[in-house]
Structure formats: C-alpha cells, structure tokens
Amino acid sequence: MADQVQISIQEQEEREEREHFARVINSFKFYKLHSLKRLHLSKVSYMNLSDQHKSRILGYMDNLETIQTCVVHNYEVIKLILQDCQFMFLNKDECISDADFERVKKADCAPPTSEEMDKVRTTLRQIVRDWSEDGRAEREACYQPVMHAVLTESRKPSDVKILVPGAGLGRLVFEFARLGYSCQGNDWSLHMLLASNFILNRCQERNSMVVYPWVHQYTNNLATKDQTRRCMFPDISPLQISSDSDFSMVAGDFTKIYTEPNSWNAVVTVFFLDTAHNIIEYLETIYTILAPGGYLVNLGPLLYHWAGQVNEMSVELSYEELRKVMLDIGFEIEKEEMNVRCMYTQNPLSLMQNYYNCVMFVARKPLPRPTHHDQSS
Amino acid sequence: MADQVQISIQEQEEREEREHFARVINSFKFYKLHSLKRLHLSKVSYMNLSDQHKSRILGYMDNLETIQTCVVHNYEVIKLILQDCQFMFLNKDECISDADFERVKKADCAPPTSEEMDKVRTTLRQIVRDWSEDGRAEREACYQPVMHAVLTESRKPSDVKILVPGAGLGRLVFEFARLGYSCQGNDWSLHMLLASNFILNRCQERNSMVVYPWVHQYTNNLATKDQTRRCMFPDISPLQISSDSDFSMVAGDFTKIYTEPNSWNAVVTVFFLDTAHNIIEYLETIYTILAPGGYLVNLGPLLYHWAGQVNEMSVELSYEELRKVMLDIGFEIEKEEMNVRCMYTQNPLSLMQNYYNCVMFVARKPLPRPTHHDQSS
C-alpha cells in the first residue's frame, strides 16, 4: 500500500515536471510575439506624436525596424536552443509529449507570465556572461576568486571531485574540467539547462553564433546603436576540452539529487546560496555531501530569490546569521572576503548599472578528530 | 456653451485630482498594515522551520520584533506627514473631503497597488537622500555638478530666477535659495509634496526626527542590525534660510503650469527629464519658458518612467537622439559630461548596489541675433 502511494506521488511529480518543462519551452516560443508586442508600444507612441515632434526625431522608426530585425534573429537562436529539447532529459526517448503541450496551452497556465518571459530575456544575457568575449570582465570577477581558492589546494586536479550547484550555462564547470578536475554542474532552471545544452553540445566553432542581448533595453542608452549591438558566442569552442575529462551537467533540485554523504571534495557556489527557500537546508546538504576535509567555496550576494513571495518559504539571513549557521553545522571558515565587486548580466554601456558587494568564503568540513580526543571530550 | 463645457471639464479634472490625492493619502495610511503583512511572511517561514533549524538561528525572531518596532515608528512619522495634508493645496480651506476618502475606499480603487506602496517606502528613503547626513555623499554627487554650473555664471544670485522641475523633497531648491537665488521647485508627485511640506514647514530643529529607511530590505544585509538602523533628519534646520528669500514649491504637471514664455533665467533638472511621457515636449516647454540667454542644466540617466507601459505614451530617446532634439529646438549645448556617477536612495551597506552613469549638460537658449543678421538670412 505504501509502495502504491509512493508510485502515485512519483507519477504526480513526473506529470508536474513534464508540465513545468512544457511551460518553459512555451515561454521560449512566446519570445518573438512578446518582444514584438513591446516594440509595438514604442511604435504606437511614435505614431501618436505630432508631425512637428516626429520631424525632430528622424530615424526613430528606422531604429525600431532594426530592433525588430534583432528580435527576429534572437528568435532564430531560440529555435536552435529548442531544437532537440524533447529528448534532453530523464534518459528517456521522449521526455515531453504533444499532450504535455496541450495541457500548457489550456487557459489556466498559458500565456507565459512576465516573470517567465523575463527569464527568456535573461537567458540571452547569460549567454553573454558565460560564453562571450563581451562577458569576460564580468565573468572573471566572479569566477577567478573561487577558482583561485580551489587552485591553492595542493591536491592533483584529477583526484578532486567538484560539484557546482547553480551552474547556469556551465562555464565555471567547463573551466574546472579544462584544468583536469572531475566536475559536475547542477541547475534547477530549465531555461538555463536548455541554453547550456545548446552551447555545450551543439555550438562547435568559436564565435559562430550571434545574439542581440540588449535589444530589450529601450531606456538608458547613450547611443541609439547601443540597443541593437550584437554579441558573438561562444568565445571558446566547447569542444576544447580533453575527451577523457569527467564533466557533466545534471538537471534538478539540488537538495533532492545530492544526498550521498562524503561524496565530493569541493562544492563551489557562485550566486547560488540565495536561491534557497531555506538556506540552512542548503548548507546542511553541502556539509553532508562533502568528504571530510572537503570544502565549500562561495561567492555571491544574499538576494534571496523567494523573498517576500506569498506561500513560499523564504528564510532571509544576513551574512552575520549565515556565518553562525555554518559554524553551528560544523564548518570551519578558512577564508572570508567582503566587498568582492561583481556584476550579473550587466550591459556595460547602459546608463544604469547594478553591482553586488559579494561575500566570498571558504568553509571546510573538518577531518574527524583522532579517537583519543573523542574519548577525552 | 463653450464656457459651460470648459467648466465641466474643470470640474471633472478637479474631481479626479481630489481622488488622486485621496489615493495617495490612502497609500500612506496603508503603510503599517502593508509592512506588517510583509513581516508576517518572514514570521510564517520561521514558524515552519524544523526545531533543529530554529535552534541554528537563535535571535531571528527577536530581529523580526525589532523590525516591527521600526515599522510602527515609521508610521508615526507618516502620520505627522499627513497631519495637515487636508489644507495643503489649491489655496482652499479644505482641499480634500471625507467624501473624497469615501470614493477611494470603494472597491474599484482601494487597496493601494504595490506600486503605490513602493512610493511610500521610497519617500522614506528620499528623506535620507535629501535631508540627512547619511544621504550627504549621494546628494552631493547629484547636486554639486549642477550647482557648480549655475554658480559659474557671473550674474548676481538675486537677479537669477531658477526653476527646479521634479524638485522632490526640495533640498536642491533650498540650497539655491540659501545662496540668494530666487528659486521655485515643482513636483507632480503628491507623495513627494506631502513629505517636502512636512520637512520644510514642520521640522524645525536639526536631527529632531528619526526614521528607519532600510527596514523593508530583508535581503542583502551583511549584519542583521543593518536592516533596522536609524536615520536622523533633517541634517539642517529648514528655518536656516533668509526670511526675505524667494523660495517656493508648486504642485502639479510641469507642462501645464509653466507656459509663460521667457520667464526663467535657469531651469535645473536632476533625475527629471526621463519622467516625461514625451521628452520632446518637456524640452520645448523648457525652451519656451527660458528667457533668452537662459539655460537648462541637467543631470540624470534616461530611465523613462513610462517605458513599456500599455496605454501610456513613452518616447524613449537615446542621449544621442535627445541631443539632436535639443539642437533642433534651438538650444546651444555649452557643456556636456558623461559618466557622472550618481546613486538614488541607495542603502550604502547593502550587498546590492545600483548606480547611474549620468549625463550632465548645460544647454542655452541663445540671445536673439542682431537685426541685420536676421535680414541677411
């Protein structure tokens, strides 16, 4: 009986998972329509101007036409991203069916929310961050401090198993794998996983692809062409990695997938810890799966993705509180740096800029104390 | 007949204005309830934690209690802000009646939207920006460049009439008046005007008031106490201004109020031009009301407040396009500086920071050319 209930929960979960997947694909498919609707607002505003005002901004409509061309091109890239998505996950021949799409199309869950559409646009900007020359400065500010922390450890890379939860488009995992580490990336977001699958498995030549990541930013432009400038990717061929490298990406909920104790030498998190509903649970999970002597390297702010959302658990600790939790769990904090200035998918030419004064730390799961110490305590 | 139609439009406008006013006051009145609702979400999340997790964050609930105390205090300040609001505008004995409030309470316009509530919270942060020692650095970065541009002009301050549209809480207007300029501030936002009325007319002693401006920021805190730290205001007594100074604040729509040609020597705009539905109209208005030889000094980004909103005109020019419009109207650009780094109501201790690479310029309305030139052209 208990087994039957268990199976029925699994079926329910699997159905929900398929539906979620269908919704994500649906949001990508809505990109063109949604972006052209936004463009239309600007066209209407222009059309409602007096003739005198129109004459003062000759070329305005030309620019809107260029924006339209960029949106249409971006949608071609999105179609490539979606190309083999039906066969991507779950090790099944087909992980999403036409029936799943039909359910999504029903009134209760379509069209995509503005949040879902925002994720599509963010995915385009994350391609810049992780896989373009334009994103190098932003990327290096975030990845170099954590890579440096791993590299200063004396062990042979091939002996070190690294887990990167919140791996996004996979560049950090890729960089560790290039150095010979055994490295696995994990992400919960299907938007990310679809894009990373495309880049890692379908893009072969350097700078073979083009995207217009800033085309949705109608404001805070200094030059008109800033909005429609292109970005080439990938800045490095994803094939440039040793064929015997141990490099993988895994989809799903971090706390559910990673339960095997003492199985990783390092966990590296960049802009990840604050994606938790319950950051204490994240830290306990990381402590459990780390081998004794293993360590967590973290860099990020404490934005807390679920903060202030009704019916969503969200435990919003200050760094001061988080630090106490780590010590309480048993971590030893070996390195700690404040004010590591990092950006996240910023348009470098925008008049508006956002950055994070990140906290970077290395926290170790200690080796077991010798037995005679245990007895004396 | 035409007169009657005219009157009826005025009545309609006045009724709408009163209703808008009532809604703004209503949003202030909702502050406590709304803020405590948000706090409640954090309490619920805490209550749903396991006992083990609760034990790892001793003191968490104490902090939530402190947040509650801060919210209640902020509401006391808000009540002071609202104290004489019924008699503030329109030169009438009473500008808002109980009947207005009754209309607001009807289902079709109450409770306040999240945008309106955001404006209330922003007003508290704007008090820090304009009227506290804590806001000095942010304020000086924005106001010093434009004040410097005005001060380098050789005319006697008392001969110079300055208009500051988008004056917000009035500090910049106050600073010009302190220097002896004849200065008028204007703002469309009643949230701003209620708060500026309170500070300029009701706060007398330096640092006599306390507010907790960061209490709504549950995320990106380094220390727990950062969220509940206080800010004292005003950093200067608003009475410290010469009794014969010509200093006023005017409520309402800039383009409707300021129609008299050649009536100002300088228009100074800080974070204002992009509040326009149609920035071309703003610039034409400014050109019209400036006396020949008068000038516009501007500093700000191009965020465009109405961008992307359905059924709202929004003409989102790049600075490049804006510059061409100014020249087309007849302005002569005398000074131009890019990348003037400014912030707007930033929490200096937050892990997340936002800043603007502002454009600062001085654009002059030229003196009429001598007649013989006119004839030759």
Side-chain angles (χ1 to χ4, degrees):
Chain A
M1 192 64 190
D3 268 7
Q4 271 194 330
V5 171
Q6 185 60 28
I7 287 163
S8 122
I9 288 171
Q10 278 183 349
E11 272 173 4
Q12 166 78 1
E13 273 182 3
E14 197 175 300
R15 192 192 144 132
E16 279 174 11
E17 200 173 304
R18 282 163 178 268
E19 207 159 294
H20 173 63
F21 193 22
R23 278 198 67 81
V24 169
I25 293 174
N26 203 41
S27 70
F28 275 115
K29 287 188 173 173
F30 257 88
Y31 168 82
K32 189 168 134 186
L33 180 68
H34 195 267
S35 302
L36 294 183
K37 262 190 185 171
R38 169 62 186 88
L39 181 64
H40 186 67
L41 292 180
S42 288
K43 287 184 180 174
V44 169
S45 285
Y46 176 83
M47 294 314 291
N48 284 332
L49 289 178
S50 67
D51 286 346
Q52 193 199 351
H53 285 181
K54 278 180 193 156
S55 75
R56 293 206 196 276
I57 49 172
L58 300 171
Y60 191 76
M61 275 303 273
D62 290 344
N63 185 49
L64 296 186
E65 292 304 322
T66 309
I67 291 169
Q68 182 155 337
T69 305
C70 296
V71 163
V72 170
H73 175 88
N74 281 348
Y75 190 56
E76 292 302 312
V77 175
I78 283 172
K79 282 196 278 188
L80 291 174
I81 289 173
L82 296 183
Q83 211 165 37
D84 48 4
C85 66
Q86 280 178 275
F87 310 99
M88 261 184 66
F89 300 119
L90 307 177
N91 298 320
K92 285 174 189 163
D93 292 343
E94 187 189 81
C95 76
I96 184 161
S97 66
D98 288 344
D100 296 320
F101 271 117
E102 281 313 309
R103 274 202 297 277
V104 167
K105 278 179 190 155
K106 279 181 199 157
D108 64 333
C109 56
T113 63
S114 61
E115 269 186 354
E116 285 174 320
M117 291 316 302
D118 195 44
K119 280 181 190 164
V120 175
R121 289 187 297 268
T122 305
T123 303
L124 295 175
R125 295 203 307 274
Q126 274 156 336
I127 290 175
V128 181
R129 172 181 170 85
D130 255 19
W131 292 101
S132 83
E133 189 58 38
D134 296 339
R136 177 190 290 274
E138 181 179 298
R139 191 164 64 238
E140 289 187 348
C142 297
Y143 296 161
Q144 277 187 348
V146 297
M147 290 186 76
H148 182 72
V150 172
L151 290 169
T152 52
E153 299 279 322
S154 57
R155 292 180 65 182
K156 225 174 97 188
S158 57
D159 293 345
V160 181
K161 274 183 72 186
I162 301 178
L163 175 66
V164 180
L169 297 199
R171 183 60 179 262
L172 182 57
V173 188
F174 175 84
E175 292 299 332
F176 277 126
R178 277 220 291 171
L179 294 170
Y181 290 93
S182 165
C183 196
Q184 183 165 102
N186 159 249
D187 213 295
W188 179 84
S189 159
L190 291 172
H191 285 95
M192 296 278 199
L193 288 157
L194 284 163
S196 63
N197 174 66
F198 170 65
I199 293 172
L200 290 166
N201 297 319
R202 296 287 170 268
C203 294
Q204 304 198 340
E205 284 191 39
R206 185 171 179 274
N207 289 339
S208 53
M209 302 292 302
V210 164
V211 75
Y212 299 92
W214 317 115
V215 72
H216 316 106
Q217 185 182 321
Y218 291 79
T219 65
N220 283 313
N221 292 306
L222 205 55
T224 304
K225 65 177 165 40
D226 291 351
Q227 184 175 356
T228 52
R229 75 189 192 280
R230 69 178 188 171
C231 168
M232 291 186 295
F233 72 96
D235 64 312
I236 180 172
S237 168
L239 299 178
Q240 276 200 15
I241 201 165
S242 162
S243 59
D244 62 348
S245 70
D246 182 10
F247 170 28
S248 56
M249 292 284 281
V250 172
D253 181 341
F254 163 69
T255 56
K256 285 186 184 161
I257 295 171
Y258 299 97
T259 53
E260 180 68 26
N262 311 320
S263 49
W264 299 91
N265 305 110
V267 173
V268 179
T269 52
V270 175
F271 284 75
F272 170 72
L273 289 181
D274 58 357
T275 65
H277 282 282
N278 176 359
I279 198 167
I280 307 170
E281 187 187 17
Y282 266 28
L283 291 168
E284 286 178 346
T285 300
I286 291 168
Y287 192 82
T288 300
I289 65 174
L290 279 173
Y295 52 95
L296 162 65
V297 186
N298 173 74
L299 182 145
L302 290 170
L303 194 56
Y304 293 112
H305 291 215
W306 302 99
Q309 292 191 37
V310 179
N311 296 329
E312 298 285 357
M313 169 172 271
S314 180
V315 182
E316 299 123 7
L317 305 187
S318 66
Y319 179 66
E320 182 187 12
E321 288 164 321
L322 183 69
R323 197 180 189 286
K324 279 187 200 152
V325 169
M326 286 197 287
L327 296 174
D328 194 45
I329 288 172
F331 279 111
E332 289 170 356
I333 296 173
E334 288 193 350
K335 186 179 171 174
E336 202 175 17
E337 202 178 330
M338 310 295 167
N339 292 313
V340 183
R341 185 175 161 152
C342 293
M343 296 187 161
Y344 200 93
T345 70
Q346 278 298 291
N347 176 357
L349 299 188
S350 174
L351 299 182
M352 180 162 82
Q353 294 289 324
N354 193 258
Y355 71 91
Y356 298 93
N357 288 317
C358 291
V359 178
M360 189 272 187
F361 63 76
V362 178
R364 195 175 299 271
K365 177 176 179 174
L367 290 165
R369 288 181 294 176
T371 315
H372 67 274
H373 276 193
D374 282 343
Q375 285 171 338
S376 72
S377 69
Chain B
M1 192 63 189
D3 267 6
Q4 272 192 330
V5 172
Q6 186 61 29
I7 288 164
S8 122
I9 287 171
Q10 277 181 350
E11 272 173 5
Q12 166 77 2
E13 274 182 4
E14 198 175 300
R15 190 192 145 129
E16 279 174 12
E17 200 173 306
R18 281 163 178 269
E19 207 160 292
H20 173 63
F21 193 22
R23 278 199 65 82
V24 169
I25 293 174
N26 204 40
S27 70
F28 275 114
K29 287 186 172 174
F30 257 89
Y31 168 81
K32 188 167 134 187
L33 180 69
H34 195 268
S35 302
L36 294 183
K37 262 191 186 171
R38 169 61 184 89
L39 181 64
H40 186 66
L41 292 180
S42 288
K43 286 184 180 174
V44 169
S45 284
Y46 176 83
M47 295 313 292
N48 284 332
L49 288 177
S50 68
D51 286 345
Q52 193 201 350
H53 284 181
K54 279 179 191 155
S55 75
R56 294 205 194 276
I57 50 173
L58 300 171
Y60 191 76
M61 275 303 275
D62 290 346
N63 184 50
L64 296 185
E65 292 305 321
T66 308
I67 291 169
Q68 181 155 338
T69 306
C70 296
V71 163
V72 169
H73 175 89
N74 281 348
Y75 191 58
E76 292 302 312
V77 175
I78 283 171
K79 282 195 279 189
L80 292 174
I81 289 174
L82 296 182
Q83 210 165 39
D84 48 5
C85 66
Q86 281 179 276
F87 310 98
M88 262 184 66
F89 300 117
L90 308 176
N91 299 321
K92 287 174 188 165
D93 292 342
E94 188 190 82
C95 75
I96 185 160
S97 67
D98 287 343
D100 296 321
F101 272 117
E102 281 314 307
R103 274 202 297 278
V104 166
K105 278 178 192 156
K106 279 181 198 158
D108 64 332
C109 55
T113 63
S114 61
E115 268 186 356
E116 285 173 320
M117 291 316 303
D118 194 45
K119 280 180 188 163
V120 174
R121 289 188 297 267
T122 305
T123 304
L124 295 175
R125 296 203 306 273
Q126 274 156 336
I127 290 174
V128 180
R129 172 181 171 85
D130 254 19
W131 292 101
S132 83
E133 189 56 39
D134 297 337
R136 176 190 290 274
E138 180 178 300
R139 190 164 66 238
E140 289 187 346
C142 297
Y143 296 162
Q144 277 186 349
V146 297
M147 292 187 75
H148 181 73
V150 172
L151 291 169
T152 52
E153 299 278 323
S154 58
R155 292 180 64 181
K156 226 174 94 186
S158 57
D159 293 343
V160 181
K161 275 183 70 185
I162 300 177
L163 175 66
V164 180
L169 297 198
R171 183 61 181 261
L172 182 57
V173 188
F174 176 84
E175 292 299 333
F176 277 125
R178 277 220 292 171
L179 293 170
Y181 291 92
S182 166
C183 195
Q184 184 166 102
N186 158 251
D187 213 295
W188 178 84
S189 160
L190 291 171
H191 285 97
M192 297 277 198
L193 288 157
L194 285 162
S196 64
N197 174 65
F198 170 65
I199 293 173
L200 291 165
N201 297 320
R202 295 288 169 267
C203 294
Q204 304 197 339
E205 285 192 41
R206 185 172 180 273
N207 288 339
S208 54
M209 301 293 301
V210 164
V211 76
Y212 299 91
W214 317 115
V215 71
H216 315 105
Q217 184 183 322
Y218 291 79
T219 65
N220 283 315
N221 292 305
L222 206 54
T224 304
K225 65 179 165 38
D226 291 350
Q227 184 175 356
T228 53
R229 74 188 193 280
R230 70 178 187 171
C231 167
M232 292 186 294
F233 71 96
D235 64 310
I236 180 172
S237 168
L239 300 178
Q240 275 201 14
I241 200 164
S242 161
S243 58
D244 61 348
S245 70
D246 182 8
F247 170 28
S248 56
M249 290 283 283
V250 173
D253 180 341
F254 162 71
T255 56
K256 286 186 182 159
I257 296 171
Y258 299 97
T259 53
E260 180 68 29
N262 311 323
S263 49
W264 299 92
N265 305 110
V267 173
V268 180
T269 51
V270 175
F271 284 75
F272 170 72
L273 290 183
D274 58 357
T275 65
H277 282 282
N278 177 0
I279 198 167
I280 307 170
E281 187 187 18
Y282 266 28
L283 290 169
E284 285 178 346
T285 300
I286 292 168
Y287 192 82
T288 301
I289 66 175
L290 278 174
Y295 51 95
L296 162 65
V297 185
N298 173 73
L299 182 143
L302 290 170
L303 193 57
Y304 293 110
H305 292 215
W306 302 99
Q309 292 191 38
V310 179
N311 297 328
E312 298 287 356
M313 171 174 270
S314 180
V315 183
E316 300 123 8
L317 305 186
S318 66
Y319 180 65
E320 183 187 10
E321 288 163 322
L322 183 69
R323 196 181 190 287
K324 279 188 201 152
V325 169
M326 286 197 288
L327 296 175
D328 194 46
I329 288 172
F331 278 113
E332 288 169 358
I333 297 173
E334 288 192 351
K335 187 179 169 172
E336 199 174 20
E337 202 177 330
M338 308 298 165
N339 292 311
V340 183
R341 187 176 159 150
C342 293
M343 297 187 163
Y344 200 92
T345 70
Q346 277 298 290
N347 176 357
L349 299 188
S350 174
L351 299 183
M352 181 162 81
Q353 294 289 324
N354 193 258
Y355 70 92
Y356 298 92
N357 287 318
C358 292
V359 178
M360 189 272 187
F361 62 77
V362 178
R364 195 175 299 270
K365 176 176 181 173
L367 290 164
R369 288 181 293 176
T371 315
H372 67 274
H373 275 194
D374 282 345
Q375 286 171 338
S376 74
S377 68

